[in-house]
């Protein structure tokens, strides 16, 4: 019997006469893969990768980046982090195609570096999604206020509770139900963004709306780089939050019917997602809506003030606010659905690796980790604190923490990819043996690492500059109110910037001390347990079909 990083025996074997290049007679299933169903199809994987986690980050809060950094600063922030994300997803694609594990990139550390590293990464990624669910649920309560009216007697906790109950039913139905729902929600989001881009181009050109904007808003006061360098780096965490979840392709790979085909196609769509959905949308928003337009701040989180709605209104589309509110609400519902899925799979990985109680790893006949669903449901109830402190406040605090955890995960993924290639080479394996090879390695990883380190250092810097100063006992009520607001903002920045790193250090060194783990030698790295073995029909499906131009197009669309 073979063992994996948690020390569990492998009982399930696959005969693979067609894989002599692996240098083994058989490949074992990783314990964390047992009980799961490979029910995600290509269309599910691609649509989840394209827009599965598009939610409040793009639809509601994207305008605040323009208001803070100007159209040029916002576009640069989205483009820069987008470049980083492309190389992160390429790294994920290379390893997840080879090793489609539920823990995804979080499990790689225990294979190629140190088990303590994998332990802390998996727990931090679970914390990320355990906090994202309450954040999105808090946003849902704000979104519904558009229809019921602010200050209504309608209880603010009702909407989150209804969504939580629906999430339990959906996730208990199995991964195929999750994939099907995400597919149709993603179609709606994609259509909305396409409609927005078409309307935006027509409005900007003056074809509709009666005014030609062109790039005039790039030359007004404050534009194109409002607030200079400080304005630009201030937006980085919120932009990271907007992009967050793009890496979940690595998690869904464990339940894909054919990871060798589906994962590469899914990760290659990320470039289209960034260039078309984010970059184009931000450029049009910055061109049509002035950076000093007060509605861009959207402090109320209202669809009537959402930047997308402003463009639809300028296009003369009646009912634009109602339509956008419906789209934003379904987007949040979709994002929560994805959040639930990833959080439960992280708990499953933790349990199967021996890093959480073994009962959490139980899966029923449909491949659903039932106990994990119950725990994530309990975490979701954190959103109910919005009753006491307000949805908007809770959402902003969560965004600060989540954005920083996302940055941490991305930079560590690139590090593990460097280490994986080192181990692969040390074991005498050729790059050509990999089922998928990432673009531009190692230069892409180096570029991504430089961008990532710069973003992380920027968040640290912003968190410690300009601390609040107590105005003194004789200060006016207005001065004290301003001080309290600045104090809370400063505390939020400190928590968001430093919590992920302090928590990671505690998890890593505590586990290393208790378990006495050692650095894994490159020659001893386990690069085989859990490998996907394609069937003959899978192999036939992988063969290129059709003319060359169509095959190139299919890499991206």
């Amino acid at each position: 019997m073979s063992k994996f990083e948690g020390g569990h025996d492998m009982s399930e074997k696959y005969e693979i006469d067609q894989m002599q290049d692996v240098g083994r007679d058989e490949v074992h299933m990783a314990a964390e893969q047992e009980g799961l169903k490979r029910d995600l199809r290509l269309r599910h994987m691609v649509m989840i990768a394209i827009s599965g986690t598009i939610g409040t980050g793009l639809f509601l809060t994207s305008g605040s980046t323009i208001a803070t950094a100007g159209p040029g600063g916002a576009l640069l922030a989205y483009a820069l982090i987008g470049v980083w994300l492309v190389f992160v997803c390429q790294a994920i694609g290379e390893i997840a195609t080879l090793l489609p594990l539920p823990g995804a990139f979080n499990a790689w550390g225990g294979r190629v570096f140190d088990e303590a590293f994998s332990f802390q990464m998996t727990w931090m990624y679970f914390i990320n999604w355990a906090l994202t669910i309450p954040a999105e649920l808090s946003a849902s309560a704000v979104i519904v206020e558009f229809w019921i009216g602010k200050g209504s007697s309608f209880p603010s906790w009702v909407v989150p509770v209804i969504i939580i109950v629906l999430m339990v039913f959906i996730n208990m139905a199995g991964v195929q139900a999750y994939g099907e729902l995400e597919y149709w929600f993603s179609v709606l989001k994609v259509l909305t963004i396409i409609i927005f881009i078409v309307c935006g181009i027509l409005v900007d050109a003056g074809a509709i709306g009666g005014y030609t904007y062109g790039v005039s808003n790039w030359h007004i006061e404050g534009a194109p780089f409002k607030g200079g360098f400080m304005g630009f780096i201030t937006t980085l965490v919120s932009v990271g939050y907007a992009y967050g979840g793009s890496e979940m392709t690595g998690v869904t790979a464990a339940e894909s019917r054919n990871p060798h085909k589906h994962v590469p196609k899914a990760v290659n769509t990320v470039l289209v997602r960034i260039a078309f959905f984010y970059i184009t949308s931000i450029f049009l928003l910055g061109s049509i809506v002035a950076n000093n337009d007060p509605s861009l701040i959207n402090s109320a989180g209202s669809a009537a003030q959402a930047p997308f709605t402003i463009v639809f209104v300028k296009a003369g589309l009646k009912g634009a606010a109602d339509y956008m509110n419906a789209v934003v609400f379904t987007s949040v519902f979709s994002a929560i659905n994805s959040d639930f899925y990833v959080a439960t799979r992280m708990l499953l990985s933790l349990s199967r690796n021996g890093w959480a109680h073994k009962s959490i790893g139980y899966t029923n006949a449909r491949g659903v980790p039932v106990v994990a669903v119950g725990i994530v449901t309990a975490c979701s109830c954190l959103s109910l604190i919005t009753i006491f402190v307000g949805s908007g406040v809770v959402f902003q605090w969560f965004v600060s923490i989540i954005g920083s955890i996302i940055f941490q995960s991305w930079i560590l993924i690139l590090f593990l990819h460097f280490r994986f290639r080192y181990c692969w080479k040390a074991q005498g394996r050729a790059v050509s043996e990999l089922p998928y090879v990432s673009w531009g390695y190692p230069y892409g990883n180096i570029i991504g690492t430089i961008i990532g380190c710069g973003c992380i250092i920027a968040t640290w810097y912003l968190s410690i500059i300009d601390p609040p100063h107590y105005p003194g006992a004789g200060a006016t009520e207005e001065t004290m109110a301003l001080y309290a607001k600045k104090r809370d903002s400063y505390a939020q920045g400190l928590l968001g910037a430093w919590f992920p790193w302090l928590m990671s250090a505690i998890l890593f060194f505590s586990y290393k001390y208790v378990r006495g783990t050692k650095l894994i030698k490159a020659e001893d790295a386990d690069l085989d347990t859990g490998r996907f073995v394609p069937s003959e029909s899978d192999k036939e499906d992988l063969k290129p079909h059709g003319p060359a131009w169509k095959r190139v197009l299919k890499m991206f669309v």
Side-chain angles (χ1 to χ4, degrees), residues 112-262:
V112 301
F113 184 61
D114 190 312
E115 189 178 330
F117 196 81
S118 191
F119 172 80
Q120 69 88 11
M121 269 196 80
T122 310
W123 269 111
M124 287 305 299
Y125 201 62
F126 167 71
I127 291 170
N128 172 61
W129 292 105
L131 292 178
T132 301
I133 296 170
E136 297 282 7
L137 286 168
S138 299
S140 71
V142 177
I143 293 164
V144 172
E145 284 182 359
F146 174 77
W147 286 310
I148 64 175
K150 200 170 182 67
S152 169
S153 59
F154 184 80
S156 60
W157 54 266
V158 171
V159 175
V161 167
I162 292 173
I163 293 176
I164 290 170
V165 172
L166 289 173
M167 286 299 113
V168 172
F169 280 109
I170 292 168
N171 280 268
M172 289 301 293
V175 69
Q176 192 167 11
Y178 157 74
E180 202 62 37
L181 271 173
E182 278 309 294
Y183 176 80
W184 291 109
F185 280 138
S186 295
V187 167
L188 175 63
K189 288 186 276 189
V190 168
L191 288 175
T192 299
I193 296 173
I194 291 173
I195 293 169
F196 165 77
I197 289 173
V198 172
C199 285
I201 292 171
L202 294 175
V203 170
D204 192 50
I208 57 177
Y211 183 81
T212 303
Y213 291 91
V215 291
S216 59
N217 281 326
W218 287 64
H219 303 290
I220 63 174
E221 184 181 354
F225 296 98
K226 185 177 180 180
F229 180 70
M230 290 300 295
F232 163 70
I233 64 174
T234 301
T235 65
L236 293 177
V237 169
S238 60
V239 172
Y241 174 80
Y243 275 133
S246 300
E247 72 285 344
M248 72 160 52
T249 302
V251 181
T252 57
E255 292 170 274
S256 164
R257 292 192 175 186
N258 186 354
H260 282 195
K261 178 181 179 181
H262 298 174

Side-chain angles (χ1 to χ4, degrees), residues 1-3 9-17 19 24-31 33-34 528-533:
M1 292 288 184
S2 174
K3 294 180 180 292
D9 288 319
M10 305 295 101
S11 58
E12 200 161 341
K13 302 177 181 180
Y14 287 100
E15 295 299 324
I16 51 163
D17 296 333
M19 293 188 67
R24 305 172 65 158
D25 294 323
E26 57 192 23
V27 169
H28 300 286
M29 176 185 284
Q33 293 171 312
E34 295 174 4
D528 293 309
T529 303
R531 286 182 67 168
F532 173 71
V533 182

Side-chain angles (χ1 to χ4, degrees), residues 462-484:
L462 286 173
S463 71
I464 58 175
I465 62 169
D466 195 24
H469 299 287
Y470 185 69
T476 63
E477 187 175 332
E478 182 180 357
T479 302
M480 290 300 295
L482 289 172
Y483 164 73

